[in-house]
Amino acid sequence: MKKEFAVIGLGRFGSSIVKELRKLNVNVLAIDKDEAVINEYKDLVTEAVIGNTMDENVLKSVGITNFDHVIVAIGESIQGSILTTLILKDLGCEKVTVKAQNDYHGRVLEKIGADAVIHPERDIGRLLAHRLVSTHTLDILEISDNHSIVEFKAVEAFTNRTLDELDFRNKFGVSVLAIKRHEHIIVSPDSHTPILEDDILILIASDEDLSHFEIVMGDD
């Protein structure tokens, strides 16, 4: 059976999630209090509902607990986001992911039971900062307060040299988790694996070590 998702709030963030989920051919319920917005997306999603999700009856009426995953993407109202999340968890929704507007909002969401809290604006700013330091940084994923995973496009100095020769771990404290080579992925490459032109390295390290690595290698 296809997984079923509900997306609450169809601003820029919520609408982008809806579009990507539909590309993955899963069922999507979209909820927004703005009729014009719902009319814009009703032909794209499986079901579109106009409603205020701070009203428990609205969520009950759509059978919200039957969905595998609920994404709360309310952008204009922190109160609406918090109350909606609280109601969803009280009703028994198993998986609730919520967009946070700031760190304080995120901490509140975690305390009331949100299963995952995402910070798109903060994450975009973080990625932009890394890209400004090094144009070779393609993406970054925070995995803890102090550690991240980065996609880093191989610079010319890496070409045709093995991981053993480059010795990233001893020189920079950076480990190579995988290498993306066109449509192939080399997972846990051994020390004799050479880096080729256009390879993308999947790196893991502390934020401090990654920043040092990007600064040193970013202008190569």
Side-chain angles (χ1 to χ4, degrees), residues 92-217:
C93 291
E94 290 188 9
K95 183 72 173 178
V96 178
T97 293
V98 193
K99 170 193 173 184
Q101 293 190 32
N102 52 54
D103 287 341
Y104 178 76
H105 182 201
R107 291 200 298 273
V108 173
L109 292 169
E110 290 171 356
K111 287 182 181 297
I112 63 174
D115 298 285
V117 177
I118 50 180
H119 300 260
E121 284 85 1
R122 183 193 69 184
D123 294 342
I124 289 171
R126 190 162 179 254
L127 175 58
L128 176 59
H130 279 260
R131 284 182 173 174
L132 291 171
V133 170
S134 170
T135 56
H136 294 274
T137 299
L138 304 178
D139 203 357
I140 184 166
L141 173 66
E142 181 181 287
I143 57 173
S144 75
D145 290 340
N146 302 307
H147 289 78
S148 299
I149 294 173
V150 163
E151 286 191 356
F152 190 87
K153 189 175 185 301
V155 300
E156 186 177 350
F158 297 172
T159 305
N160 297 320
R161 299 180 68 189
T162 66
L163 292 177
D164 188 45
E165 290 173 322
L166 292 166
D167 200 17
F168 293 143
R169 184 175 296 176
N170 287 324
K171 290 180 179 177
F172 300 100
V174 172
S175 297
V176 180
L177 292 177
I179 299 171
K180 293 171 69 174
R181 185 165 291 164
H182 304 296
E183 50 296 336
H184 302 293
I185 297 182
I186 304 169
V187 179
S188 300
D190 64 42
S191 61
H192 302 297
T193 302
I195 304 301
L196 304 183
E197 186 178 0
D198 295 328
D199 276 355
I200 295 172
L201 310 182
I202 312 300
L203 309 173
I204 185 170
S206 69
D207 293 338
E208 182 178 355
D209 286 339
L210 281 172
S211 295
H212 180 224
F213 178 84
E214 289 172 321
I215 291 170
V216 172
M217 296 298 178

Side-chain angles (χ1 to χ4, degrees), residues 60-96:
K60 286 181 176 179
S61 69
V62 299
I64 199 69
T65 56
N66 295 324
F67 288 84
D68 298 290
H69 200 142
V70 182
I71 299 94
V72 180
I74 297 171
E76 75 284 358
S77 170
I78 289 179
Q79 178 184 3
S81 168
I82 291 171
L83 288 178
T84 295
T85 302
L86 187 60
I87 293 170
L88 289 169
K89 295 310 295 183
D90 281 349
L91 289 175
C93 291
E94 290 188 9
K95 183 72 173 178
V96 178

Side-chain angles (χ1 to χ4, degrees), residues 10-104:
L10 295 179
R12 285 180 297 178
F13 180 67
S15 61
S16 68
I17 291 177
V18 164
K19 291 173 183 175
E20 292 304 316
L21 286 173
R22 290 302 290 152
K23 287 179 184 177
L24 296 171
N25 196 32
V26 296
N27 294 324
V28 180
L29 163 70
I31 307 175
D32 197 283
K33 63 183 181 180
D34 189 325
E35 182 177 1
V37 172
I38 287 296
N39 288 336
E40 182 180 349
Y41 286 92
K42 65 181 181 181
D43 294 329
L44 174 64
V45 298
T46 313
E47 184 180 2
V49 173
I50 305 166
N52 184 346
T53 54
M54 289 188 288
D55 183 345
E56 183 176 325
N57 292 323
V58 170
L59 294 171
K60 286 181 176 179
S61 69
V62 299
I64 199 69
T65 56
N66 295 324
F67 288 84
D68 298 290
H69 200 142
V70 182
I71 299 94
V72 180
I74 297 171
E76 75 284 358
S77 170
I78 289 179
Q79 178 184 3
S81 168
I82 291 171
L83 288 178
T84 295
T85 302
L86 187 60
I87 293 170
L88 289 169
K89 295 310 295 183
D90 281 349
L91 289 175
C93 291
E94 290 188 9
K95 183 72 173 178
V96 178
T97 293
V98 193
K99 170 193 173 184
Q101 293 190 32
N102 52 54
D103 287 341
Y104 178 76

